[in-house]
Amino acid sequence: MWAGTGAGRVLVSQNSTAADPTTVSFTRIDTSVQPGRVVSSIYVDPTNPNHAIVTFSGYESNTPQAPGHVFDVVYDPATKLAAWTNISYGIGDQPVNDAVLDAATGDVFVSTDFGVYRLVSGTQTWIPAADGLPMVTVNGLTLATTNNGDRLLYAATHGRGAYRLTIKK
């Protein structure tokens, strides 16, 4: 189990399903290199519970010593340490509200106060997730797979409804 706080802390538990809840323990994995702003989302890789995309809200101008909004994080349970890779690249200084990882392609999708963006696996350029999406706050993303294998990305906006994108195979 991964957890984030309003103060920018990120914690991991390897025994969150323990029968005795008093034995559940968490390891703090954030460091002074992370922004220390509100953790807005943690999307755990469905193929690897020790890998997640972690996003932060707020603006880098408030934490110039620790920039970044989107991080690829790999936790090592043996050492109880995590490798943090800032994958914000040129997304701009804007709050990032949510993220999903398309495990089939390795692409990352994020929602911001100004729309939905996609980072194609192996690239360092964020692009709009699709044509026609409004430039509004998108609070949540959900990635789903249909019975026939199609992958769908749902985006919930502020005041402009919800959108469904079919992700190409």
Side-chain angles (χ1 to χ4, degrees):
M1 173 192 295
W2 293 62
T5 72
R9 309 279 190 270
V10 178
L11 305 107
V12 176
S13 174
Q14 296 291 296
N15 68 338
S16 63
T17 60
D20 179 359
T22 63
T23 64
V24 174
S25 61
F26 286 88
T27 301
R28 183 175 167 190
I29 63 169
D30 61 282
T31 69
S32 61
V33 176
Q34 283 71 59
R37 298 186 308 269
V38 173
V39 175
S40 53
S41 75
I42 299 173
Y43 187 87
V44 180
D45 183 340
T47 65
N48 178 0
N50 295 314
H51 174 233
I53 303 298
V54 179
T55 64
F56 290 86
S57 190
Y59 296 93
E60 290 176 349
S61 58
N62 294 325
T63 58
Q65 75 288 356
H69 293 283
V70 186
F71 292 83
D72 187 297
V73 184
V74 179
Y75 173 67
D76 182 347
T79 64
K80 298 191 182 295
L81 299 172
W84 290 75
T85 303
N86 184 348
I87 59 171
S88 302
Y89 305 122
I91 201 165
D93 190 8
Q94 61 179 323
V96 174
N97 303 318
D98 201 3
V100 295
L101 169 67
D102 183 356
T105 63
D107 294 359
V108 176
F109 294 85
V110 296
S111 64
T112 73
D113 282 2
F114 304 99
V116 180
Y117 297 93
R118 179 182 199 167
L119 181 66
V120 176
S121 180
T123 69
Q124 294 185 358
T125 303
W126 289 94
I127 58 174
D131 293 332
L133 285 173
M135 188 183 284
V136 297
T137 300
V138 178
N139 294 314
L141 296 174
T142 299
L143 187 62
T145 304
T146 66
N147 289 337
N148 67 0
D150 288 339
R151 292 181 327 284
L152 305 172
L153 180 68
Y154 294 91
T157 73
H158 177 77
R160 297 291 298 272
Y163 290 78
R164 181 180 75 191
L165 308 173
T166 301
I167 300 172
K168 304 266 189 226
K169 292 181 182 180

